[in-house]
Amino acid sequence: MDGNDAVTHVAYRTNEVIAIYPITPASPMGEISDSWAAESKPNIWGSIPSIIELQHEGGAAATLHGAAQTGALTTTFTASQGLLLMIPTMYKLAGELSPTVIHVSARSLAAQGLSIFGDHSDVMSVRSTGFALLGSCSVQEAMDFALISQAATLESRIPFLHFFDGFRTSHEVSKIEVLTDEEIRAMIDENQVRAHRARRMTPDSPVLRGTSQNPDVYFQARETVNPYYEACPVITQRLFDKFAELTGRKYSLYEYYGAPDAERVIVQMGSGVETTVETVDYLNAQNEKVGVLKVRMYRPFSAKFFAEAFPETVKEIAVLDRLKEPGSTGEPLYVDCVTALNEAIANGFGKFKSMPKVIGGRYGLSSKEFTPSMVKAVFDNLSKENPKTHFTIGIHDDLSHTSLDFDPSFSIEPEHVFRGLFYGLGSDGTVGANKNSIKIIGENTDNFAQGYFVYDSKKAGKMTASHLRFGPEPIRSTYLVSEANFIGCHQWLFLQNFDILKNIKEGGTFLVNTHYSADKVWDNLPRVAQENLIKKKVKMYVIDGYEVATASGMGRRINTVMQVCFFGISGVLPRDEAIEKIKDSIRETYGKKGDEIVNMNIKAVENALSHLQEVKIPEKVTSTIELNPLISGDAPEFVRNVLGTIIAGQGDDLPVSVLPDDGTYPTATAQYEKRNLSETVPVWDPDVCIQCGKCAMVCPHGVIRVKVYDKELLKDAPETFKSIEGKDKSWKADNHNFTIQVSVEDCTGCEICVDMCPAKNKQETRLKAINMEEVKPIHAQEKENWKFFLSLPEYDRRKIKIDSIKHQQIQQPLFEFSGACSGCGETPYVKMVSQLFGDRLVIGNATGCSSIFGGNLPTTPFAVNPEGRGPTWSNSLFEDTAEFALGFRVSIDKQQEYAAELVKKLAGDIGDDLASAIINAEQHTEPDIFDQRERIEILKEKLKHIHSQEARSLEMVADMLAKKSVWGFGGDGWAYDIGYSGVDHVVASGRNVNLLVLDTEVYSNTGGQASKATPLGAVAKFAAAGRPVEKKDLGLIAMTYGTCYVASVAMGARDEQTLKAIIEAEAFDGPSLIIAYSHCVAHGINMTTGMKNQKAAVESAQWMLYRYNPDRLLRGENPLQLDSKAPKIPVSHYLDMENRFKMLKNTHPEEAKFLYAKAQQDAIRRYQTYKYLADRHYELNGTANSEVDLKEALSKNK
Amino acid sequence: MNLSTSYLGLDLKSPLVVSASPLSEEISNIKRMEDSGASAVVLYSLFEEQIRNEQQELHHHLTQGTESYAESITYFPEPSEFHLGPNEYLNHIRNAKEAVDIPVIASINGSDVGDWINYAKLMEEAGADAIELNIYSIPTELDTSSTDIERNYINILKCLKSTVKVPVAIKLSPYFSNLANFANHLVDAGANGLVLFNRFYQPDIDLEELEVVPNVVLSTSHARRLPLRWVAILYSRVEADLAATSGIHQASDVLKMLMAGANVTMLCSALLRNGIGHIKFIEQEMKEWMEVHEYESVQQMRGSMSQRNVADPSAFERAQYMKALRSYKPQV
């Protein structure tokens, strides 16, 4: 069970109304609750809680508020920015003494950059709301404190925020003692529940709350709650004691652990405490006198309880905060600690006679590792005569020199704890297998078990690292495994890229999945691997996991095979017993999915061990193979030294000084990160090709490129470079050739290009103009060809006819090699926008998939053209992107206006003709913009010779006189839900902002939760029983303003319509909204044929194609053009192509039947509605000056 | 007038049985079949691939892209229970049995011995009165002999017979070297009935897309000729009931099949084209014809025109081929 599971176990059972909204890492709590409710699982009162998803966390908090006020037991789950959105309501909840618990997987806040990982930035931001703050340190505590906070809020009437560290606790899998329903019932006082009910708002006994108060009484009224805050710690401690009686697990508000005569003590909250406890034990065993004070209740902060918790021998205290409060006198826990001790000493409570030395420090931001070595460094610092305060630990701060030195080789991992490290690919099932191994060991032995999983920053071709520990005592090591008894490398490629054996301990065991047999593998190992194997006397085994998995029907999922091998050689369980347990576990895990799945896994179990081979390790290193360079040699210095270090997995070693201080990074960096992910790549057949450009258009990763160029340039071409005469008349006339080139090093192998290619080989119809082939034989030649291809000049943009795909695709994409999922349905739209307007593009990007593939370090796919121009990109928040982009627009327009004013003022010096040409430039077309840029260059040249303040000012804003295209990108979660009010405002603003909604119809980035874009009948998280209502028609709503360009597109259905819509939207001098159907892995589809799903969605009228252009009104035309034809396939044909719909038949067959039928009716109605709107006759009509005129005008517009 | 017959040990009120088709996916349709006079219904087929692929597909889509990225560790809710296709099918049998009084025959369709055969047992437990085994395979391997193919059929049948107690009919294609010999082997292996014949949906080529496309063509009365010949040949020569399927569209088709020796006739295309109520129309026509021609019962005519009972047995053999050709006058 992980931390989120543990909390939900209690929160679900003890509540009636659960308001949810997805946010990492808290989402699983809402997901589990929704799933349980869909399966009619009751709470401890035998009733199924109502689960309600909101449009954002502010909405969730408000619903919580409403539910609490009307007498329900209510809870919610959140983290990070989500918690910040709840702040206004939290003041209300506390001010009205409303019992409720908010469970928070504590996470960093977005500042110079966003982070999904854990620290206390979020929970500390709500410390003044009046909520009680109770922090857990482990998965066990997360479950226990979830219950204690629930009991405490009912008794104290203070709303509680229960927090535990994001990922480290929320996602750590651990063996814990699970609370029974009886224990839960025993802790919840029914009298308090009744008292809560009795306070509810009801017209049967009406009250008034939420009054507006004036200076006369507000202050006094604010002080009325003091007795509750004084009582709260006492109540909570009493409940801790009651809990101890029930379960044997004892807790205190402020709990000291360590030497009774300790002199040096660390004060800390959260999961880091566990590591400190472990280190304290180690150091005290070395005759040191140290301890740790665990702060469990941070608000209300009881100075009395706190001061009394320390041994009187304490002389030095280091308070560790897991956040940064810039500009403060110290981080919050430190400040509270100092204040509390001062008060204690001044008022004579607690054990201190005089003030001990108290210093503060920061650690663990964004889940930064916090290890025993760091704990030791903090204690060592305390021992110094002048210890460093306001220090940092865990980083190297060479800028402000705040950091303490620590010894990374210091390890206290006990011998009796087995430590395993497993490296796998997301798609091979490694993490799942490891979670299963923990379950097997946890359930079948007396051992305790712990699992923590580290994922990659990319979505395609990602490496996962599983850190497992098993041991006879509870495991407190809340840090990664550094000295592993066992390392499993489930992908051979990792060995070639990374020093995988760096963390193996002497005498450890190494298992690798490889095609090489035991007698061949040695000669193919990189030098560094051989060195480690010999130096550390490692036992090595190989298995061809893919061969066994394939033979067993498992395809590329080698999880079961590798798991069996692990148990077979690690000795953590007797081999035969382990095999039986794995089989039992397979039956339990997969039984519900059918015998077929069970049988193939069992088959894999039975086949695995016979294919396992031990490798005889020679005595000498023989390899000359070096690790693959992960970044290309021609990368700029910053990319090589900083981003390259991150790519190599060494980002922890980067010192402060090398990182940008304001979060600004260069673009065009993905090109240097050569990931070589795919074993097969597309290969172009020029003779079959019809030069339509569709393969390049759909390529989600921008690896397929088209160029048209002068034949003469081919004289320097590599021998294997492919080229053919251009088919288009204009290309022929210019003596131009045509090439489609693939960057094989960047391809993810999704094959969507092959699926999309319309040309077939006339001799062998199975072949197309682009076909997948093995990369190995062509890798070197294609690298060379790619290099030559890049050296060919870009086609003159002024001559490209952008209104047809085959011409438009010659435009250079300024979005390339993203880390999006293989076969992504969003990126082709982004790429198309980058091709059309990339050199003048300003992007505000909502948080979500597009911000992750767009801006997740280390590299970005946004690129630059040969002139150095390209998209400039930023992510503000999830909810504010439309307004953020509006800010760009207003700012740019203002600077443009100012620049024009200056041009006018300086017209005499610049020359009237140039000034007039610049000010009046149309800038509708590429040549217009090109000409304007030339004029600006002339202007800048002239300004150099004008000596005035105005000239200097104009130099700074002159570039703004060239057109800038402002876009807001984001997903449906943004546009339909959390950011909808902003979208609506921009749509109504009249300003030239283009909003592109990459509509995957779920919150894809956080794992597929339902949004208001989720269609009727789709199964999604938060809609486990199928979404019961129709998708919101965002486009239709936007059209009602009549002043916004609106389009609904689906590239896979009609690419030319998509292109037309994007061009028209950008050309429209006002707001525009493009809603783009984006197929997604969260749909449960074959990603290779995702474009076919788009087509089926349109052909069934499940998705409409249309364009609404207000400019047409000026011409007396109906602004709405319906690009969809009448439905030609039943909706069910489309629905059955996608697991999100189809699985409802497997989970809720009756509902599925109803919703399928309803979906068909909705589709017909939808088509008829749009058809009606698009068929309406429009005419230019004059001003109605009289009732007669008005009647006439009305009669024209029937 | 007595229209009753027996098939697979089941007493049926008439020889009008509805064969496996999408029509039986709805319980309301099955009820309408009974109301229109159907004497039994063969439910739509549960396919071996359905049993295997559905599980595989569901598993694949629920695991695709998971455990790869910290924010989206999974993409779907994971319910504790799935109603997989086969279970849905079993429920469908139960519901059908509750809804109607006529016998309900479950249909299972596969091509090789495998775990899917175990579902026949579950079908029996769910209340199926009999099982129709539909072996649908197009052997294409150059090294597979006709003996191998026939052995595979026999093995599947034996395997299925060993799992269930209810009668089993086997639905065949006509493409065997000596169907009579093979039919005899099937009866030895335990077949209680032979269903003649399976209609293979033949592929077509889309000239514009250069793709092979499935092409469902509903049968016409012409399709009746092939089963008619074999029903007539096998009648009383094998110890199994005979069901005639393909091309049963009107009363005359039914009457001819009965005379050839069929115990029952099975309707599909006719109902897809004309609606379920068409059964009533056929029955009425049958009765009228029998009345005019003074037949008292179906039993009276059954097998009367079989190869054994006709004056010229060669009419069902090669000799008839020459006659047919000679009678054909090409239009030039």
Side-chain angles (χ1 to χ4, degrees), chain A residues 17-216:
Chain A
V17 174
I18 305 181
I20 55 175
Y21 187 77
I23 186 160
T24 307
S27 307
M29 293 184 281
E31 292 162 11
I32 300 164
S33 299
D34 179 64
S35 283
W36 284 349
E39 291 178 6
S40 305
K41 186 170 177 164
N43 59 18
I44 54 167
W45 295 279
S47 184
I48 304 159
S50 287
I51 315 294
I52 177 93
E53 184 188 2
L54 276 300
Q55 85 282 25
H56 50 54
E57 291 87 348
T63 303
L64 190 81
H65 187 198
Q69 285 296 306
T70 41
L73 296 167
T74 181
T75 188
T76 187
F77 317 106
T78 194
S80 193
Q81 318 292 137
L83 185 62
L84 298 198
L85 287 178
M86 293 184 173
I87 289 176
T89 313
M90 290 173 76
Y91 278 93
K92 289 292 301 174
L93 280 158
E96 293 167 349
L97 296 171
S98 318
T100 184
V101 182
I102 299 178
H103 298 278
V104 177
S105 314
R107 168 183 156 179
S108 309
L109 294 175
Q112 83 289 348
L114 165 151
S115 167
I116 58 167
F117 295 100
D119 64 35
H120 300 159
S121 309
D122 53 2
V123 291
M124 285 301 195
S125 300
V126 302
R127 62 187 187 273
S128 59
T129 56
F131 263 62
L133 266 64
L134 192 68
S136 299
C137 304
S138 65
V139 178
Q140 180 71 62
E141 288 185 16
M143 178 177 284
D144 295 349
F145 290 11
L147 180 56
I148 287 159
S149 53
Q150 188 69 42
T153 192
L154 284 166
E155 193 169 338
S156 68
R157 294 189 63 190
I158 307 287
F160 266 62
L161 185 150
H162 165 231
F163 70 94
F164 45 99
D165 288 351
F167 283 101
R168 187 65 252 182
T169 305
S170 68
H171 284 59
E172 176 185 303
V173 179
S174 184
K175 180 179 176 176
I176 63 165
E177 287 181 41
V178 176
L179 289 167
T180 63
D181 282 8
E182 289 66 37
E183 287 168 334
I184 295 172
R185 272 191 210 101
M187 284 298 293
I188 303 294
D189 184 346
E190 288 296 332
N191 290 324
Q192 299 298 347
V193 175
R194 280 191 278 276
H196 170 59
R197 293 253 199 262
R199 291 189 292 266
R200 71 184 157 208
M201 291 168 63
T202 167
D204 298 327
S205 172
V207 294
L208 178 74
R209 286 189 192 133
T211 52
S212 172
Q213 301 182 347
N214 300 309
D216 52 351

Side-chain angles (χ1 to χ4, degrees), chain A residues 90 98 266 279 284 372 382 510 512 626 663 699 740 817 871 967 973 1002:
Chain A
M90 290 173 76
S98 318
I266 288 176
T279 316
N284 286 338
L382 273 181
F510 179 51
V512 62
E626 296 301 323
C699 178
I740 288 179
F817 321 138
W967 287 73
V1002 276

Side-chain angles (χ1 to χ4, degrees), chain A residues 24 35 39 116 171 426 431 435 455-456 462 464 590 592-597 599-600 760 852 1004-1007 1020-1021 1081-1082 1084-1085 1087 1139-1140 1142 1146-1147, chain B residues 26 52 54-59 61-85 88 115 119 209-211:
Chain A
T24 307
S35 283
E39 291 178 6
I116 58 167
H171 284 59
V431 172
K435 285 182 176 171
Y455 302 93
D456 203 334
K462 40 261 159 160
T464 61
Y590 301 120
K592 64 182 175 185
K593 290 181 182 169
D595 294 342
E596 189 70 20
I597 309 300
N599 292 343
M600 71 184 190
K760 284 196 176 159
I852 295 302
S1004 299
N1005 192 52
T1006 48
K1021 289 175 183 166
V1081 66
I1085 59 165
M1087 292 293 278
N1139 191 49
R1140 57 175 169 156
K1142 223 165 101 174
N1146 301 128
T1147 57
Chain B
E26 297 292 332
R52 288 197 285 118
E54 185 181 27
Q55 296 176 11
Q56 294 269 17
E57 200 183 313
L58 181 70
H59 180 61
H61 288 311
L62 290 178
T63 51
Q64 183 186 16
T66 61
E67 300 287 10
S68 303
Y69 184 67
E71 294 211 66
S72 42
I73 290 168
T74 61
Y75 284 106
F76 283 101
E78 179 102 22
S80 54
E81 193 189 354
F82 287 104
H83 305 270
L84 293 168
E88 205 180 324
D115 291 338
Y119 277 93
E209 299 294 328
L210 296 184
E211 279 173 6

Side-chain angles (χ1 to χ4, degrees), chain A residues 94 147 191 284 308 351 402 502 691 767 1043 1058 1074 1181:
Chain A
L147 180 56
N191 290 324
N284 286 338
E308 282 171 355
K351 295 171 188 159
T402 60
K502 190 174 83 173
Q691 302 182 4
L767 294 175
T1043 52
T1058 301
I1074 301 175
N1181 39 42

Side-chain angles (χ1 to χ4, degrees), chain A residues 838-945:
Chain A
D839 61 355
R840 49 190 181 272
L841 194 54
V842 189
I843 304 167
N845 209 129
T847 311
C849 280
S850 52
S851 74
I852 295 302
F853 61 63
N856 199 356
L857 287 183
T859 59
T860 179
F862 288 102
V864 293
N865 67 11
E867 291 83 47
R869 289 195 178 90
T872 185
W873 181 96
S874 181
N875 157 245
S876 175
L877 296 173
F878 190 11
E879 60 267 32
D880 69 355
T881 300
E883 304 94 310
F884 187 44
L886 180 63
F888 294 162
R889 180 79 273 162
V890 178
S891 157
I892 289 166
D893 286 354
K894 182 64 233 169
Q895 291 176 67
Q896 216 167 51
E897 193 178 278
Y898 177 51
E901 287 163 7
L902 290 171
V903 168
K904 262 188 206 164
K905 277 187 191 170
L906 295 169
D909 299 320
I910 299 164
D912 285 340
D913 289 349
L914 179 63
S916 164
I918 287 173
I919 291 166
N920 299 317
E922 289 282 347
Q923 301 197 68
H924 292 316
T925 64
E926 285 288 334
D928 290 348
I929 295 166
F930 184 89
D931 292 346
Q932 178 76 341
R933 284 190 184 132
E934 284 203 327
R935 284 183 213 111
I936 292 168
E937 286 311 308
I938 297 168
L939 169 69
K940 287 203 276 192
E941 197 50 44
K942 289 194 172 194
L943 287 173
K944 283 181 189 165
H945 308 290

